[in-house]
């Protein structure tokens, strides 16, 4: 599909699904004005999908690796039941004020536990078995995140990995210095061979892999 047609399809989808909440619209605008790399936030379509996965699965314990603005965190929390616990980990402490500004505006914050620090250090300290994990941090380290969380996901639990098509770069032979593309390619190859899980890649936005633990 051409770029114009892709954009038209996305516009069409957005005009035929539930509207983004006022809070998420405000957060989105604020991120575009005040933060670096605002494209990193999930956005309405992907956020709505994450919300829908929570509605369908009703996970009690959720982990997000890579909070950024908490856009996706709020979507997960919106879809989750009242007694759900959402743990989200962000290494960049400069984002904490931005995140808290939005969490404080909604009762959803009661379900959300923000951990500031490196996911590799924080996750082993969270004493939970997760029903749903959203991997969305440093593309160089997806394999490490996956290996770290695998035993902390229940059988029948879902792992969702974002950016697994990496703007189409997965099709290319990357330069040795392009560690992000290499990281995603190695992750995708590893998941493809992992027979402990069922998997599918959805070509939504930048690629979303759903990995279901048998
Ligand atoms: C793509 S953004 C997350 C977007 C967010 N999940 C969403 O969907 O709106 C990636 C975030 O991961 C964070 N990050 C990178 N490495 C990390 C690590 N080792 N531990 C925790 N967070 C990390 C980055 O600082 C960045 O804010």
């Amino acid at each position: 599909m051409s770029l114009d047609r892709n954009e038209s399809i996305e516009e069409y989808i957005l005009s035929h699904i539930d509207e983004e909440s006022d809070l998420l619209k405000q957060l989105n605008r604020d991120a575009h004005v005040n933060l670096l790399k605002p494209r990193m936030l999930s956005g309405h379509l992907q956020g709505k999908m994450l919300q829908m996965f929570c509605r369908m699965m009703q996970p009690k314990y959720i982990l997000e690796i890579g909070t950024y603005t908490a856009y996706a965190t709020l979507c997960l929390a919106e879809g989750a039941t009242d007694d759900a616990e959402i743990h989200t980990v962000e290494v960049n402490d400069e984002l904490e004020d931005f995140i808290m500004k939005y969490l404080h505006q909604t009762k959803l914050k009661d379900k959300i536990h923000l951990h500031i620090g490196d996911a590799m250090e924080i996750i082993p300290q969270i004493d939970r078995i997760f029903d749903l994990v959203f991997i969305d941090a440093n593309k160089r380290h997806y394999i490490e995140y996956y290996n770290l969380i695998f035993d902390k996901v229940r059988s029948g639990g879902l792992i969702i990995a974002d950016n697994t098509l990496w703007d189409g770069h997965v099709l290319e032979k990357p330069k040795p210095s392009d560690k992000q593309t290499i990281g995603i390619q190695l992750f995708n190859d590893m998941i493809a061979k992992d027979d402990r899980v069922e998997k599918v890649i959805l070509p939504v936005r930048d690629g979303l892999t759903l990995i279901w633990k048998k």
Side-chain angles (χ1 to χ4, degrees):
M1 247 190 302
S2 69
L3 190 61
D4 281 354
R5 195 154 166 85
N6 264 335
E7 280 169 7
S8 305
I9 286 285
E10 178 152 357
E11 270 172 32
Y12 180 85
I13 293 171
L14 292 177
S15 65
H16 289 79
I17 64 175
D18 297 319
E19 233 193 288
E20 193 178 33
S21 70
D22 287 343
L23 183 69
L24 290 177
K25 269 188 201 147
Q26 192 193 333
L27 182 160
N28 208 336
R29 267 197 304 270
D30 195 357
H32 277 80
V33 173
N34 294 308
L35 295 184
L36 293 172
K37 303 195 192 157
R39 241 185 64 88
M40 289 204 302
L41 66 75
S42 270
H44 183 42
L45 175 56
Q46 186 166 299
K48 191 71 198 168
M49 285 182 60
L50 294 171
Q51 181 187 328
M52 209 58 114
F53 289 137
C54 285
R55 289 247 189 271
M56 292 186 291
M57 278 186 72
Q58 308 205 334
K60 177 151 169 57
Y61 298 113
I62 301 172
L63 172 67
E64 177 185 35
I65 311 180
T67 317
Y68 187 44
T69 60
Y71 187 100
T73 324
L74 288 166
C75 297
L76 293 164
E78 180 70 46
T81 52
D82 287 346
D83 65 344
E85 253 181 44
I86 298 130
H87 292 265
T88 183
V89 190
E90 174 53 55
V91 75
N92 181 356
D93 59 9
E94 291 180 6
L95 290 166
E96 189 170 2
D97 288 347
F98 186 100
I99 294 167
M100 292 316 295
K101 177 166 130 194
Y102 286 93
L103 296 194
H104 279 311
Q105 293 182 51
T106 163
K107 272 177 52 184
L108 295 173
K109 78 166 184 307
D110 298 343
K111 304 184 203 175
I112 297 172
H113 302 251
L114 172 66
H115 305 264
I116 298 289
D118 185 341
M120 298 304 292
E121 287 166 21
I122 300 272
I123 292 170
Q125 297 168 33
I126 306 175
D127 187 18
R128 290 283 181 261
I129 295 295
F130 294 102
D131 304 293
L132 176 65
V133 176
F134 181 40
I135 300 179
D136 192 16
N138 190 330
K139 313 307 160 221
R140 298 168 187 84
H141 301 302
Y142 268 32
I143 289 182
E144 284 103 308
Y145 303 141
Y146 184 78
N147 289 334
L148 180 69
I149 54 115
F150 197 82
D151 289 341
K152 289 171 87 65
V153 176
R154 74 166 163 87
S155 158
L158 184 68
I159 301 163
I160 305 174
D162 195 12
N163 308 108
T164 48
L165 296 177
W166 201 224
D167 213 11
H169 296 307
V170 286
L171 298 177
E172 296 161 9
K173 184 169 167 31
K175 290 188 189 137
S177 58
D178 184 358
K179 304 287 186 220
Q180 302 199 82
T181 302
I182 295 170
I184 291 290
Q185 287 175 331
L186 290 174
F187 175 76
N188 287 341
D189 292 347
M190 182 189 79
I191 298 300
K193 288 192 213 115
D194 189 347
D195 57 15
R196 300 169 300 170
V197 294
E198 287 182 16
K199 52 269 178 184
V200 64
I201 299 178
L202 305 180
V204 175
R205 202 169 162 257
D206 206 12
L208 208 56
T209 304
L210 305 186
I211 305 161
W212 181 78
K213 185 167 169 180
K214 293 181 190 169

